[in-house]
Amino acid sequence: MGKRSGGCQAAGMSTAQSTTVVARLREALPAEAVLTDPDVTASYAHDMASFCSAGSPAAVVLPRTVEDVQRVLRLATELRVPVVPQGARTGLSGAANAIDGCVVLSLLRMDRVLEIDPVNRIAVVEPGVVNADLSKAVAEHGLSYPPDPSSWEQCTIGGNIGTGSGGLCCVKYGVTAEYVLGLDVVLADGRLLSTGRRTAKGVAGYDLTRLFVGAEGTLGVVVRAVLALRPAPPRQLVLAAEFGSARAAGEAVARIMAAGHTPSLLELMDGTSVRAVNRLTRMGLPESTQALLLAAFDTPQASEELAAVGELCRESGATEVVPADDQAESELLLAARRATLPALEAVTGTTMIDDVCVPRDRLAELIDGVALIAERQALTIGVVAHAGDGNAHPTVCFDASDPDEAARARVSFDEIMALGLELGGTITGEHGVGVLKKDWLARELGPVGLELQRSVRRVFDPLGILNPGKVL
Ligand SMILES: Cc1cc2nc3c(=O)[nH]c(=O)nc-3n(C[C@H](O)[C@H](O)[C@H](O)COP(=O)(O)OP(=O)(O)OC[C@H]3O[C@@H](n4cnc5c(N)ncnc54)[C@H](O)[C@@H]3O)c2cc1C
């Protein structure tokens, strides 16, 4: 990802306090688990979001066991030190950014798949397991773990739970929250909480498991997860449809969903994104298109379903409909979609990736509105969207070394969120709030919702040591 530019910052600690924290961590944990070299700790300071500066951690701790995590939290409670849980730092909201003097608790070394149970269709994993590694492991049992963020080859299950992440196939299979059955969580004071179940059903008490999904490390540290699996579907077949306008592509999305189809993927790239991907990858996507819709089906009847969807695209004004001939062509189209964010980043060096979700029948209005914002602010903004979910990622490209351009990028980012709310949407479909969208969260929740959420947080973390300054 590209460079990041400044904005939000949290309070720090004195050098003497930091020295005490490091000494106590060294006493409590194996030597190789505690990193303090400033060059090394600096590399753990921030995630991949722009506009969020980060503090300098007192130490980075890489535990291998639940007990180590408990030791860190007990110590943090005793010394009143902030703790920032981290996965792979692919987050896009600054949620994993360090705070001055904090302990960064990186779960990357807790990366074991503990159990795969084909009868009960569950996997039990540690939080540092990389999403794609879990997918590969369960595939050997004829199973799949559906949530598939585009960053799946780097991001961790702990981070996916922390952000409640989505992905490309969520239009059919749903998001992370729907797959987390049970959790082991180390609380702020070091106690170990087990929530949820391994059973197919279970409604005992309040659903604390769900509360931790999307909590961005503010309520506890996930150290083990029981995840639901599905039988592996057949490989999907993809169709690409070109449109002369976002409106026509939006119309096609509406028709496809209204007709009762359940695509395994329904993604949209606007013309700016298509051209950026061509420049980066030389894939030869259609340069003149204003919107490229990718639809896929993973059923045995995929070819017939694609033909029906192709017809709906034509009725909505598609200028070209190209079903992939085979798996290889399908993979190529998906690779183009996955290359969009790096491609947009290559435009000017820095990007600001937004994440607005609107009712899917209003997606075209969002895309048209973003085009107007881009024009007004004289910036390139590419839009890529999980169209079937109404979840768009308008990506603002700007030169961070130009203060005026950076300021216009920030304004456009805010205007996009305002537009999303105006269209009946939410400020974040899957990337979370972090530090980036804190002010906007207050607008979306309203005063009653905000106060209740703050109260919940206080119950879990009365001293405010877990990822302070994030979310609320
Ligand atoms: C190129 C690219 C494409 C992306 N595509 C998508 C996409 O399609 N869909 C999507 O949803 N996101 C996407 N993202 C965003 C990001 O990858 C996800 O938010 C991902 O879930 C973050 O995982 P991570 O391991 O990197 O977590 P981090 O960024 O390290 O952390 C994310 C949050 O989770 C918390 N956390 C991490 N581990 C734990 C734990 N064990 N216990 C408690 N809290 C924890 C952190 O404190 C932080 O608040 C993309 C990012 C990039 C760079």
Side-chain angles (χ1 to χ4, degrees), residues 1 47-48 84-92 95-96 107 127 148-151 154-156 158-160 162-168 216-217 220-223 337 341-342 386 393 430-431 467:
M1 295 294 288
D47 67 11
M48 291 185 173
V84 178
Q86 263 186 11
R89 301 191 315 280
T90 66
L92 292 169
L107 284 306
D148 62 341
S150 302
S151 54
Q154 292 101 44
C155 65
T156 63
N160 296 167
T163 52
S165 67
L168 270 58
E216 302 186 24
V221 180
V222 173
V223 288
R337 162 62 187 89
L341 295 181
H386 308 302
H393 296 312
E430 57 184 18
H431 293 169
N467 218 359

Side-chain angles (χ1 to χ4, degrees), residues 79-384:
L79 301 176
R80 308 286 196 265
V81 185
V83 174
V84 178
Q86 263 186 11
R89 301 191 315 280
T90 66
L92 292 169
S93 70
N97 282 12
I99 296 157
D100 277 336
C102 77
V103 173
V104 164
L105 188 57
S106 169
L107 284 306
L108 288 177
R109 287 184 187 163
M110 293 178 68
D111 62 354
R112 290 175 305 159
V113 176
L114 300 170
E115 190 185 335
I116 296 171
D117 176 345
V119 175
N120 292 301
R121 292 187 185 161
I122 55 169
V124 183
V125 303
E126 292 185 325
V129 170
V130 170
N131 181 298
D133 291 343
L134 176 62
S135 289
K136 279 177 212 137
V138 302
E140 287 171 21
H141 299 262
L143 295 165
S144 78
Y145 176 66
D148 62 341
S150 302
S151 54
W152 72 316
E153 282 169 324
Q154 292 101 44
C155 65
T156 63
I157 296 298
N160 296 167
I161 293 171
T163 52
S165 67
L168 270 58
C169 71
C170 296
V171 61
K172 178 169 180 180
Y173 293 102
V175 294
T176 298
E178 282 142 80
Y179 292 86
V180 183
L181 300 181
L183 291 173
D184 281 0
V185 180
V186 176
L187 299 175
D189 59 10
R191 280 178 299 162
L192 183 63
L193 167 75
S194 284
T195 71
R197 56 191 164 93
R198 317 174 35 112
T199 49
K201 292 173 171 176
V203 290
Y206 296 128
D207 191 348
L208 294 185
T209 309
R210 191 98 182 203
L211 191 55
F212 284 104
V213 181
E216 302 186 24
T218 62
L219 301 182
V221 180
V222 173
V223 288
R224 205 182 65 117
V226 182
L227 303 173
L229 304 173
R230 297 273 180 272
R235 301 281 293 278
Q236 53 187 0
L237 268 186
V238 183
L239 164 150
E242 292 171 42
F243 294 87
S245 68
R247 189 153 295 277
E251 173 67 27
V253 170
R255 284 187 193 214
I256 292 166
M257 300 309 283
H261 292 290
T262 310
S264 51
L265 173 149
L266 192 54
E267 296 285 309
L268 185 148
M269 296 162 68
D270 74 347
T272 305
S273 308
V274 167
R275 288 183 283 281
V277 168
N278 274 347
R279 268 196 299 281
L280 185 75
T281 66
R282 303 185 195 283
M283 274 185 175
L285 298 172
E287 283 274 323
S288 59
T289 188
Q290 294 308 312
L292 185 68
L293 195 64
L294 302 178
F297 287 89
D298 61 1
T299 58
Q301 309 78 31
S303 300
E304 293 85 57
E305 300 205 64
L306 279 186
V309 160
E311 200 40 49
L312 291 174
C313 288
R314 280 192 202 90
E315 285 168 18
S316 309
T319 50
E320 194 82 49
V321 175
V322 189
D325 281 336
D326 51 27
Q327 280 309 326
E329 240 179 76
S330 293
E331 288 304 322
L332 205 66
L333 287 169
L334 294 184
R337 162 62 187 89
R338 288 188 199 271
T340 309
L341 295 181
L344 286 169
E345 193 171 283
V347 173
T348 50
T350 310
T351 51
M352 183 77 242
I353 303 167
D354 212 330
D355 166 43
V356 173
C357 193
V358 294
R360 59 173 78 97
D361 58 344
R362 308 208 68 180
L363 182 64
E365 286 172 78
L366 180 72
I367 296 173
D368 285 346
V370 170
L372 290 178
I373 293 169
E375 202 178 308
R376 200 162 55 239
Q377 299 298 340
L379 289 166
T380 298
I381 307 181
V383 182
V384 61

